[in-house]
Amino acid sequence: MTATYRDVKADILEKITLGIWPPGSTIPKEIELAEIYDCARATVNRAMRELAEDGIVERKRKAGTKVRMAPVRQARFEIPIVRKEIEDKGTEYRYALVRKERQQAPDWLRARLRLNDGGAVLHLICMHYADGAPYQYEDRWINLDLLPNAAEIDFADTGPNEWLVATIPFSNAEISLLATMADAELAEHLGCSKGDALFQAERSTWWDGKAITFVRLTFRKGHRMTTRY
Amino acid sequence: MTATYRDVKADILEKITLGIWPPGSTIPKEIELAEIYDCARATVNRAMRELAEDGIVERKRKAGTKVRMAPVRQARFEIPIVRKEIEDKGTEYRYALVRKERQQAPDWLRARLRLNDGGAVLHLICMHYADGAPYQYEDRWINLDLLPNAAEIDFADTGPNEWLVATIPFSNAEISLLATMADAELAEHLGCSKGDALFQAERSTWWDGKAITFVRLTFRKGHRMTTRY
DNA sequence: TTTTCCATTATGTCTATATTTATAGATTGA
DNA sequence: TCAATCTATAAATATAGACATAATGGAAAA
């Protein structure tokens, strides 16, 4: 009989969507809601906290809880490992190392990774295929000052991404999504025409404030990143 | 002295990042952690629940909590209202209605919005400018069967998005991000060349299972969507 | 009048305990 | 041997009560 936090959350959400509590209005305080739904304040609190996390309401101590004027629409995109992404679609995954080269970090990379001291980096070009067709072109740079043993790894069989996630369990990252025009190299590897519009993701990764890796992932022509919310 | 759920979360996360609890390993059960940190089980529970929400650990009843082999990296992108996005950058926002037309829903739109009965739609083309320069081209379709009063609105001064969020407080949506080549129309409005690679977002929106609107947003050349996690 | 300070108050968090629920693993039966 | 069923267990959720924290609005002081 007594309401669960899900019930409370659902009911409040319904009141908001139906316009009973319009944007900008103040929702009754937790104690009152606890009485209304005949549950503990902690239960109401959890429901309200989740609604706040979802960007539907805004909470402030003393001020109370208000329905957001414009709900902060935030889409969550999962960034899976390519192999998993391909295999989850039921297609066969294949990986190939195109190029591997040890070199000094170019200026643009130093800026991107906020590196002060110019260091050695490992530059890798890899391809990922789904059912034999090109799926993703990976242009990766690994900071050898931080991960010197990366130079010893032979990335012929498994991609650098898989090695990295196994080596550095968790890290901070910055992702950018953008559109780019295919140059000759991309066109050749991804099997499209030069000048085609391609979807690209760039990711810079740090661990404990130190730059680990920068990667530019270019997807095959027509790729979409989709999510629901 | 006793640990807060933040302390517990931070400490567990540190143990994971330092490799003390490597991917795949099982974390001590909640009761044990509560003893270790000298706090209540609910405090540990909140810390662990958040770690699970963040995709760092995986929890299962009876089986315990395990460190994920590959942390599910999920990036959250906020989808703000264009006006807010532009104004938050400190640039001046300007809006213009390019075209407004009532028509029958074309087949591709019916498929996209999962409409059974062919209905009337309002087709709008709008432009959003930042400091006078083209910023975003909006190609919007509004379901007039569900929102008949949309036909009466004069979208000359404010964009349809702002009217929609004010009219429908909350809704479900599906977003796709992709790259596209500029056609003549896009090139002209966005001030770029035909064939340029442009970043595009498509959003379909439903309320209570009924399609409200479909919008295709094309950003100016070079636009990036960026987030940290 | 303006600024500083404080009481009030709503949310944030924690504790200790209880109940519910899912499930891994053991047991049982065909 | 294999599937159905049971059982012990760990997480999931709920609760009452308490204290912590931050922000508001007004009172007091300059």
Side-chain angles (χ1 to χ4, degrees), chain A residues 146-161:
Chain A
L146 199 66
L147 292 168
N149 42 336
E152 317 302 324
I153 310 290
D154 175 34
F155 290 107
D157 295 324
T158 50
N161 196 16

Side-chain angles (χ1 to χ4, degrees), chain A residues 2 4-6 38-43 46 60-62:
Chain A
T2 58
T4 69
Y5 83 93
R6 285 166 198 282
D38 187 27
C39 66
R41 192 171 79 92
T43 306
R46 172 132 189 218
K60 252 192 217 161
R61 283 177 158 132
K62 164 75 182 172

